[in-house]
Amino acid sequence: MLVAFAVSLFFVLVKKMPSFLKCTVPVVLFLFTLAFLLFLRMGGVVEFRAFEGESEIEAYNESLEGKTELELYFSPIIEIDKYGDFSDISYYKYHLQSIFSDKAHTVIAKYSKENFEETVKHIEKDYTFVDEPVIEGDMLPVFTYEGFDFRMVTHEHISTSYPHSVYLIGINRNTSEIAYVSFENMDLDSISNFENFISSYCGWHHIIKERKH
C-alpha cells in the first residue's frame, strides 16, 4: 500500500512539473536507483559472528527464541548433534544483507585422533554425496579449501533446491577437524567455482582470519 501510494504521488508530481523537468527527473531517479542497487550488491551489510567453544554457543542459543540456528539451518539435512564426541567446537555465522542475501553457517569440530576416524566412518555411512555436477556447466562439488576436503551432501530435494541451498561437509585429516557448512541464497543461479563460493559466499574469508588470531 505504501509503495503504491508513493508511486501514485510520484506521477502526480511529475505531471505538475515544467516540461523540461519531466524527462530529467525520471532519468536522475533511475540512475540513482541503479547506483544504489549496485552499491548494495557490491557491499551490502555484513554480519559475521564467531562463537568459540560449547559455552559460547550454548549462551548464544539460549538468547534465541524457539529453535537454535543449528536446528534451523542444518536439520534435517545434516544432524550435527549426532557427532558430539569432539574436543572443541566453533560456530560461525555469516549473513550478507543486500538485494541478494547470503546466509551461511559453519560449524568446525575438532576431534581426538580416535574419535575423528570414528566420526568420519559414521559420516561416510550416514550421508550420500554428490558425485557429478547438479547443473550442467557447474563445477563438480568436490574440492579442497584450507586443508578441508569438501563434498556436497545430496538429498531428495537437491534437484529443485540447488544452488539456492547447499550443504557441505569438509574433512581435514591433518588437524582432525570436520567442517559442516549450510548456505542459503534464493537468487543464486549457479556455482562455477566452489573455492570462490565457500570463500566469498559462505564467509570463509572471515573464518580463516578469525582462526588465525
Side-chain angles (χ1 to χ4, degrees), residues 6 18 30 33 44 51 58 61 67 73 82 87 91-92 100 110 117 126 150 154 180-181 183 185 208:
F30 170 77
T33 302
F51 305 91
E58 288 176 2
N61 286 336
K67 288 187 175 182
Y73 292 104
K82 292 175 67 174
S87 58
Y91 168 49
Y92 303 95
F100 305 109
K110 186 173 181 61
E117 296 297 340
D126 293 345
F150 281 99
T154 188
Y180 308 89
V181 181
F183 169 84
N185 181 330
I208 299 306

Side-chain angles (χ1 to χ4, degrees), residues 94-108:
Y94 174 78
H95 287 191
L96 173 61
Q97 303 294 337
S98 65
I99 55 172
F100 305 109
S101 181
D102 299 332
K103 292 183 178 180
H105 303 263
T106 295
V107 172
I108 299 178

Side-chain angles (χ1 to χ4, degrees), residues 68-80 83 103-107 123 126-132 134 139-143 149-171 178-186 188 191 194 197-198 201-202 204:
T68 69
E69 289 182 343
L70 298 186
E71 292 172 319
L72 287 171
Y73 292 104
F74 284 97
S75 296
I77 306 302
I78 298 179
E79 299 176 87
I80 294 176
Y83 311 114
K103 292 183 178 180
H105 303 263
T106 295
V107 172
I123 287 173
D126 293 345
Y127 296 102
T128 303
F129 295 94
V130 175
D131 57 6
E132 61 183 18
V134 181
M139 178 182 174
L140 178 68
V142 177
F143 62 101
D149 296 322
F150 281 99
R151 289 178 293 171
M152 186 165 70
V153 178
T154 188
H155 51 89
E156 59 179 334
H157 303 298
I158 193 168
S159 61
T160 55
S161 65
Y162 175 88
H164 308 309
S165 64
V166 176
Y167 301 90
L168 301 167
I169 295 180
I171 295 173
I178 299 177
Y180 308 89
V181 181
S182 165
F183 169 84
E184 288 185 6
N185 181 330
M186 299 310 295
L188 191 64
I191 302 173
F194 269 92
F197 167 76
I198 199 167
Y201 287 82
C202 297
W204 270 59

Side-chain angles (χ1 to χ4, degrees), residues 9-59:
L9 180 61
F10 169 75
F11 281 110
V12 169
L13 292 174
V14 168
K15 286 182 180 180
K16 294 183 177 181
M17 288 180 182
S19 57
F20 72 93
L21 287 178
K22 287 184 180 180
C23 294
T24 305
V25 172
V27 172
V28 171
L29 287 175
F30 170 77
L31 292 175
F32 174 80
T33 302
L34 181 62
F36 179 68
L37 293 177
L38 287 173
F39 167 76
L40 285 178
R41 183 52 186 154
M42 293 175 65
V45 179
V46 174
E47 178 189 4
F48 175 75
R49 300 183 68 179
F51 305 91
E52 305 288 347
E54 285 188 88
S55 59
E56 281 194 20
I57 296 173
E58 288 176 2

